Amino acid sequence: MNDGSPDSTEEDFAKVVGARLRALRKRRRLSLQAVEEKSGGRLRAVVVGSYERGDRVASIRRIAELAEFYGVPVDTLVSDGARSRIPAQEGKVVLDLDALRNAPPEAERLATFVASIQRQRNDFGSPVLTIRSEDISLAALLYEIPPAELREKLVTWGVLASTSP
């Protein structure tokens, strides 16, 4: 019998969608308050924050509204990852090094890998680091997962730098 509380599938869905929402917002360098202001109050900061944390399950209508606000297709937020468009499944990736330093402990292996790339390139002055598709493949080996899955984790961890001007 359902008592109205979300089941684990809904909670997992809410967390995945929430992580993708947070990644989109951070890529655009928006605060929750800025989302509320830019949306004319339609998207309240406290509500968007609860979606991002996975504390609330967004309705399909609200997911569509959020996708429109961020300028992405709805399936970017809800697809199974195999078709996810964030980030692209091939090509280079630009990492936000500050976000990587503050990423969850699971990202520690990636941080170590990225530090080795920085040392090889003698590249320590930038807040971002561009890594090639081949580097993503190597990093995925550290996690024993396919590169596409690592790209999804980059979104979840919120370590992708904004590539917009």
Side-chain angles (χ1 to χ4, degrees):
M1 177 158 77
N2 187 347
D3 62 4
S5 62
D7 65 21
S8 64
T9 304
E10 285 177 334
E11 288 174 2
D12 291 346
F13 176 78
K15 292 208 180 294
V16 168
V17 170
R20 291 174 180 172
L21 285 170
R22 178 171 280 144
L24 285 167
R25 179 175 59 79
K26 287 183 176 272
R27 286 178 75 188
R28 285 157 178 76
R29 293 194 164 100
L30 294 172
S31 67
L32 288 169
Q33 190 60 42
V35 169
E36 183 170 336
E37 291 168 7
K38 285 184 154 244
S39 71
R42 286 187 343 261
L43 302 171
R44 293 189 36 232
V46 68
V47 175
V48 174
S50 68
Y51 293 147
E52 288 183 3
R53 291 186 303 278
D55 294 341
R56 291 176 74 166
V57 179
S59 68
I60 293 297
R61 181 174 289 139
R62 183 50 61 111
I63 289 171
E65 187 175 3
L66 287 158
E68 182 180 340
F69 176 80
Y70 287 119
V72 298
V74 171
D75 72 343
T76 299
L77 297 174
V78 299
S79 72
D80 64 1
R83 296 175 306 190
S84 177
R85 295 186 184 147
I86 296 181
Q89 295 300 321
E90 295 179 6
K92 65 184 180 180
V93 172
V94 182
L95 297 175
D96 179 327
L97 299 176
D98 288 332
L100 183 58
R101 281 189 281 281
N102 296 311
E106 185 184 8
E108 190 172 326
R109 285 180 271 175
L110 178 65
T112 301
F113 179 74
V114 166
S116 72
I117 292 173
Q118 286 181 287
R119 283 191 301 276
Q120 285 178 342
R121 295 180 186 173
N122 198 24
D123 182 3
F124 299 101
S126 176
V128 299
L129 182 72
T130 302
I131 60 175
R132 304 169 308 197
S133 175
E134 296 83 8
D135 297 325
I136 292 291
S137 295
L138 288 172
L141 290 173
L142 295 171
Y143 291 93
E144 298 179 356
I145 59 175
E149 191 173 331
L150 178 59
R151 289 174 181 270
E152 283 293 321
K153 285 185 178 289
L154 297 176
V155 172
T156 302
W157 296 336
V159 300
L160 295 177
S162 173
T163 55
S164 57

